[in-house]
Amino acid sequence: MRILRLILGDQLNPCHSWFKNIDDEIIYVLMEIKQETNYVLHHAQKIIAIFAAMRDFKENLLKKNHRVIYYKISDTSNQQSFSLNLQSLISKYFIEKFEYQEPDELRLDIDLKNLCNQINIPSQIYSTEHFYTKREEVKDLFKDKKQWLMETFYRYMRKKHHVLMNDDNSPAESKWNFDHENRKAWKGEPKTFKDARSIHNHSEIWKELNESKIESFGQDQAEQFRWPLNRKEALKQLTFFIEHLLIHFGDFQDAMHKDESRMFHSLISFALNTKMLSPSEVVLEVEKSYLNQKIPIQTAEGFIRQIIGWREYIRGYYWAHMPTLQDENYFNHKHSVPSWFWNGKTHMNCLKYTITQSLNEAYAHHIQRLMIVGNFSLLAGIDPKKLHEWYLGVYIDAFEWVEIPNTLGMSQFADGGKLASKPYVSTANYINKMSNYCEGCHYSKNERLGEKACPFNSLYWNFFIINTSKLEKNPRLAIVNKQIKSMDPNTIEDIKLQAKKHLENIETL
Ligand code: FAD
Ligand code: SF4
């Protein structure tokens, strides 16, 4: 039976069982199409990285004697949509069955299911063999629960997959969570490492993108390209992280610094999300490092929590709450994303550094995304859907299944607190504690009112004042709510006025 198998751009897993046998009756197809470049405005590096990794994947399949059809973005026969290209191939090659792996995004899930209903041959869907959990597993676990506690899910995962566990099913070293021992600012010590990722030159793809009139933004860096493009490079990055950076990850995972974009972060999200790396091998390697006494329990636990905890939980949250999640807007926020989100030209140092870095590198680490860009956006009342489109376009690792829950749920509280137990917002105090951004900033971190006052300071209090009815019952906000209740009316008026001024001048902040 002649079979056509579709491989999506984020399904580049050479270890998938599909590839175990060589079969002349199976034709694999990969396609660079406008349907995927144009659904949101993307960072140039993101498009180049995915296409370059797909091309590398195709070469490897060919070397192993698999039959492969590849559509480049500039090919004249490319009809730039999955369904049109697939339908042509089905009739051209007399295909008798169509097969694909479970897409991670609802939009593609619907698209491919529709296609299967249109074609008059059988079709079959396979697992990507990537995640620990099934799409529905998180939903099933929390079936009747109001609050979806990540910690509950994380412990369930540790037990189910026997990760960092003793034989009697108790957690290694008698504790589930070593989180509070983390979180330090970074003052130049310990020294960070030079970027160990390989440099690629992909000016050819860049040229093709321009010729095909694919719109993008940000630094293309086609000649200085560093994202891993295949499994070998991804494994090299993982090994480098485990050998040199992991030991400091836990302590400095929330630290931010003007001169350091990577700090001790792993930079494996792109490789993970395109499935070059599997989460289980990441977890096993980290656990091995702990068992070999190279790292202490708090380091291993803190990192493993990110992978089997947060990453899998976020995915389950996505499948449980889509499609309604993408339209959630608990605070009814309506502002557009300020124009300086696209060029980094703001006087606020923290945002200037984080956004400029994001536009240059298509990367910012978690706390920069959450406590700088997300924090400001929530305080400033940016429309969460517009913000989601910004995040989805900017970051190299941004695929809807992981980006939407993080942006709308964790960062913007747009789901009213199903994912996050309180809004992640702060004044300048937190930003100053965890970074050196406030040094030399145009604004004063200590002032709440006046020309030079840091916008975070009044916007923070204003946010809680105007949203009292929506947040006053939240037990995690008891202290803030108490402080607001004890404020005299004049102070409240001053804060509201100052916040109003900032928001009226948001474009020139
Ligand atoms: P490290 O800091 O080294 O962490 C290791 C790994 O843990 C990451 O590679 C990632 O796979 C996993 N991880 C940690 N936290 C999370 C989380 N909250 N959700 C899912 N996985 C997590 N991550 C994405 O992969 N794609 C996104 O589009 C994305 N958008 C985000 C948007 C916002 C507003 C926020 C607050 C976070 C977002 N994250 C996203 C989560 C996190 O910021 C990135 O996974 C991380 O910064 C990637 O860099 P790293 O590989 O160096 O991660
Ligand atoms: Fe950001 Fe305010 Fe600090 Fe400036 S003073 S860097 S705006 S937190």
Side-chain angles (χ1 to χ4, degrees):
M1 180 185 267
R2 183 162 288 183
I3 298 172
L4 182 65
R5 284 182 169 171
L6 172 68
I7 303 170
L8 298 174
D10 66 346
Q11 295 178 339
L12 307 180
N13 171 14
C15 308
H16 193 279
S17 57
W18 265 9
F19 309 117
K20 270 194 193 131
N21 301 319
I22 315 287
D23 185 340
D24 253 7
E25 287 293 286
I26 298 177
I27 303 176
Y28 292 97
V29 59
L30 293 100
M31 35 183 119
E32 303 169 2
I33 47 175
K34 290 187 180 168
Q35 177 184 341
E36 290 304 286
T37 56
N38 294 0
Y39 64 84
V40 76
L41 186 64
H42 288 284
H43 198 297
Q45 281 187 47
K46 190 175 165 193
I47 306 177
I48 299 177
I50 293 174
F51 284 6
M54 286 167 67
R55 291 182 187 194
D56 189 290
F57 195 79
K58 175 227 11 182
E59 290 303 325
N60 274 314
L61 289 183
L62 287 175
K63 264 189 218 148
K64 289 182 180 144
N65 293 324
H66 291 289
R67 285 183 75 181
V68 188
I69 293 171
Y70 194 93
Y71 286 102
K72 284 186 174 182
I73 192 80
S74 49
D75 286 346
T76 45
S77 58
N78 187 346
Q79 296 175 75
Q80 307 294 345
S81 105
F82 285 121
S83 63
L84 292 177
N85 284 340
L86 287 167
Q87 291 191 47
S88 298
L89 292 175
I90 287 169
S91 65
K92 184 171 173 192
Y93 290 93
F94 304 104
I95 299 295
E96 292 160 289
K97 190 176 178 203
F98 170 59
E99 298 182 344
Y100 65 105
Q101 295 174 24
E102 231 177 16
D104 286 323
E105 290 166 299
L106 182 64
R107 130 195 104 72
L108 286 178
D109 202 50
I110 295 172
D111 201 36
L112 292 174
K113 278 184 183 143
N114 284 342
L115 174 79
C116 292
N117 289 333
Q118 283 165 25
I119 52 179
N120 53 4
I121 53 170
S123 56
Q124 188 171 344
I125 183 162
Y126 286 73
S127 158
T128 55
E129 301 170 8
H130 175 79
F131 293 99
Y132 278 89
T133 45
K134 300 212 169 3
R135 279 182 184 173
E136 306 296 320
E137 199 165 335
V138 178
K139 189 178 174 187
D140 290 345
L141 182 73
F142 289 110
K143 238 184 340 258
D144 310 314
K145 303 275 183 304
K146 237 182 175 178
Q147 182 81 50
W148 288 35
L149 277 183
M150 202 295 280
E151 189 66 29
T152 310
F153 169 73
Y154 169 63
R155 292 180 191 189
Y156 155 86
M157 290 293 282
R158 289 260 303 269
K159 282 189 230 161
K160 182 172 176 190
H161 299 281
H162 205 79
V163 178
L164 294 179
M165 298 295 288
N166 300 317
D167 287 341
D168 67 355
N169 231 9
S170 61
E173 305 199 20
S174 311
K175 248 169 86 173
W176 291 102
N177 187 336
F178 292 82
D179 232 14
H180 62 277
E181 288 163 26
N182 299 332
R183 323 289 144 129
K184 292 181 187 158
W186 184 74
K187 312 270 183 203
E189 291 293 338
K191 291 274 176 269
T192 50
F193 282 77
K194 259 172 90 179
D195 196 339
R197 293 170 298 165
S198 311
I199 301 179
H200 307 279
N201 183 329
H202 278 291
S203 31
E204 196 189 307
I205 298 183
W206 183 233
K207 201 168 141 240
E208 285 173 45
L209 290 175
N210 284 325
E211 281 165 4
S212 306
K213 301 202 172 5
I214 304 298
E215 283 189 35
S216 65
F217 66 92
Q219 286 280 326
D220 63 78
Q221 291 194 346
E223 284 157 21
Q224 280 281 306
F225 202 76
R226 280 187 178 275
W227 295 104
L229 301 182
N230 53 44
R231 181 164 164 76
K232 197 169 153 208
E233 290 177 6
L235 284 170
K236 190 175 141 212
Q237 173 64 14
L238 175 64
T239 307
F240 176 80
F241 169 70
I242 292 180
E243 282 178 6
H244 302 289
L245 310 177
L246 175 59
I247 188 71
H248 302 303
F249 173 83
D251 281 347
F252 299 103
Q253 65 179 295
D254 289 3
M256 298 170 280
H257 197 278
K258 286 178 195 173
D259 307 324
E260 283 292 335
S261 55
R262 289 167 281 114
M263 202 86 63
F264 302 103
H265 290 271
S266 65
L267 271 72
I268 59 167
S269 50
F270 177 69
L272 271 172
N273 295 353
T274 49
K275 309 191 179 52
M276 295 171 196
L277 277 184
S278 89
S280 58
E281 72 193 326
V282 174
V283 167
L284 283 176
E285 286 304 316
V286 173
E287 193 178 27
K288 198 161 87 189
S289 202
Y290 160 69
L291 293 172
N292 291 339
Q293 301 183 347
K294 290 188 180 149
I295 51 169
I297 183 73
Q298 60 269 32
T299 304
E301 191 278 311
F303 195 77
I304 284 174
R305 166 183 296 268
Q306 312 296 318
I307 308 291
I308 60 169
W310 280 113
R311 188 167 185 270
E312 298 281 333
Y313 171 81
I314 287 284
R315 173 169 182 264
Y317 188 86
Y318 174 82
W319 285 107
H321 295 285
M322 282 294 277
T324 44
L325 176 61
Q326 66 196 345
D327 296 314
E328 299 266 28
N329 191 351
Y330 186 61
F331 298 113
N332 200 19
H333 283 167
K334 293 206 167 104
H335 281 294
S336 299
V337 170
S339 59
W340 44 263
F341 267 48
W342 300 101
N343 58 31
K345 290 188 180 153
T346 164
H347 298 104
M348 290 182 280
N349 259 3
C350 49
L351 281 147
K352 180 174 84 186
Y353 281 98
T354 301
I355 289 174
T356 306
Q357 175 198 316
S358 303
L359 297 175
N360 287 343
E361 301 181 28
Y363 178 80
H365 69 68
H366 188 69
I367 291 302
Q368 293 176 301
R369 297 186 205 193
L370 185 67
M371 294 309 294
I372 303 296
V373 181
N375 184 2
F376 176 81
S377 303
L378 181 51
L379 295 181
I382 308 287
D383 179 340
K385 197 161 191 180
K386 290 186 180 142
L387 185 69
H388 136 63
E389 285 169 3
W390 184 86
Y391 276 102
L392 186 60
V394 168
Y395 293 110
I396 194 78
D397 52 28
F399 297 89
E400 205 184 80
W401 67 268
V402 51
E403 181 276 326
I404 284 193
N406 270 300
T407 304
L408 272 83
M410 187 184 299
S411 160
Q412 298 302 294
F413 208 77
D415 59 0
K418 287 187 206 117
L419 194 149
S421 53
K422 65 172 179 133
Y424 283 106
V425 285
S426 78
T427 62
N429 196 24
Y430 172 83
I431 295 171
N432 184 48
K433 193 172 108 199
M434 296 314 298
S435 77
N436 65 348
Y437 292 145
C438 299
E439 286 169 19
C441 181
H442 169 85
Y443 295 104
S444 163
K445 64 182 189 314
N446 298 323
E447 287 170 48
R448 189 157 72 187
L449 304 176
E451 280 285 295
K452 286 279 177 179
C454 168
F456 280 89
N457 294 342
S458 55
L459 289 176
Y460 174 86
W461 289 107
N462 179 63
F463 171 76
F464 287 107
I465 292 166
I466 61 176
N467 291 306
T468 305
S469 63
K470 291 188 165 158
L471 299 171
E472 68 187 344
K473 293 204 177 93
N474 187 322
R476 294 202 63 200
L477 297 172
I479 297 175
V480 182
N481 286 325
K482 201 171 153 204
Q483 279 172 295
I484 289 174
K485 272 197 185 125
S486 67
M487 272 180 191
D488 70 78
N490 288 340
T491 308
I492 290 183
E493 266 323 292
D494 287 347
I495 288 170
K496 283 166 93 173
L497 208 65
Q498 177 78 30
K500 189 164 170 265
K501 268 191 214 154
H502 286 315
L503 294 180
E504 278 168 0
N505 298 312
I506 193 164
E507 280 298 327
T508 52
L509 275 180

